[in-house]
Amino acid sequence: MFDTGQQDCTIDGLFFKLTCHAFPESYDVFYNDKQVAYVRLRHGELKVTNPDNTEIWWNTHDTDCHFPPDKQLKNEGLFDDENERLFYLTIIAKVIYKKLNNPNWQVWQENHFLNIGID
């Protein structure tokens, strides 16, 4: 099932501005009206980068990132539904805050699931 109801959203104080609906589904992410990150789901890879897309902060193809089968992305260029979208954008919000609080932070410094309670 493809979800065509994407829209802008706010998660943990970060504003995700939808910039493309599909292939890729992408967002500019703002904190206090300043763009702080870019998010893109394309070719089955979800990633978050700095605003000009030159430094990858986290992506689903990273060897340090393993999701259980029921939490893996179902589509190549857009989220399957609102539950999947919220699950992944919540993870990304955590990544963004970690990077904003410590510009030297790297994903390998965490456990595989960024301490969000996924078993």
Side-chain angles (χ1 to χ4, degrees), residues 41-54:
L41 172 53
R42 183 175 187 214
H43 300 303
E45 176 187 34
L46 177 63
K47 70 178 181 177
V48 58
T49 71
N50 61 330
D52 61 4
N53 196 23
T54 58

Side-chain angles (χ1 to χ4, degrees), residues 1 6 21 31 90 107:
M1 175 178 109
Q6 301 102 318
H21 290 275
Y31 180 71
T90 299
V107 70

Side-chain angles (χ1 to χ4, degrees), residues 11-12 16 85-95 116:
I11 298 173
D12 294 334
F16 288 75
R85 181 175 296 108
L86 183 59
F87 173 79
Y88 278 101
L89 293 184
T90 299
I91 293 170
I92 286 173
K94 291 178 184 296
V95 169
I116 59 170

Side-chain angles (χ1 to χ4, degrees), residues 11-97:
I11 298 173
D12 294 334
L14 295 171
F15 178 66
F16 288 75
K17 172 72 177 161
L18 182 67
T19 57
C20 187
H21 290 275
F23 302 96
E25 181 170 332
S26 60
Y27 299 84
D28 289 338
V29 184
F30 295 85
Y31 180 71
N32 290 337
D33 297 323
K34 178 184 177 198
Q35 185 179 359
V36 294
Y38 172 71
V39 175
R40 179 177 78 186
L41 172 53
R42 183 175 187 214
H43 300 303
E45 176 187 34
L46 177 63
K47 70 178 181 177
V48 58
T49 71
N50 61 330
D52 61 4
N53 196 23
T54 58
E55 179 188 355
I56 296 173
W57 294 349
W58 178 84
N59 71 73
T60 54
H61 286 180
D62 192 308
T63 57
D64 288 326
C65 178
H66 305 284
F67 290 95
D70 65 322
K71 294 295 185 185
Q72 292 178 2
L73 290 166
K74 296 175 184 68
N75 292 311
E76 292 287 312
L78 73 162
F79 292 108
D80 189 55
D81 58 29
E82 191 59 28
N83 290 331
E84 185 179 77
R85 181 175 296 108
L86 183 59
F87 173 79
Y88 278 101
L89 293 184
T90 299
I91 293 170
I92 286 173
K94 291 178 184 296
V95 169
I96 292 168
Y97 277 122

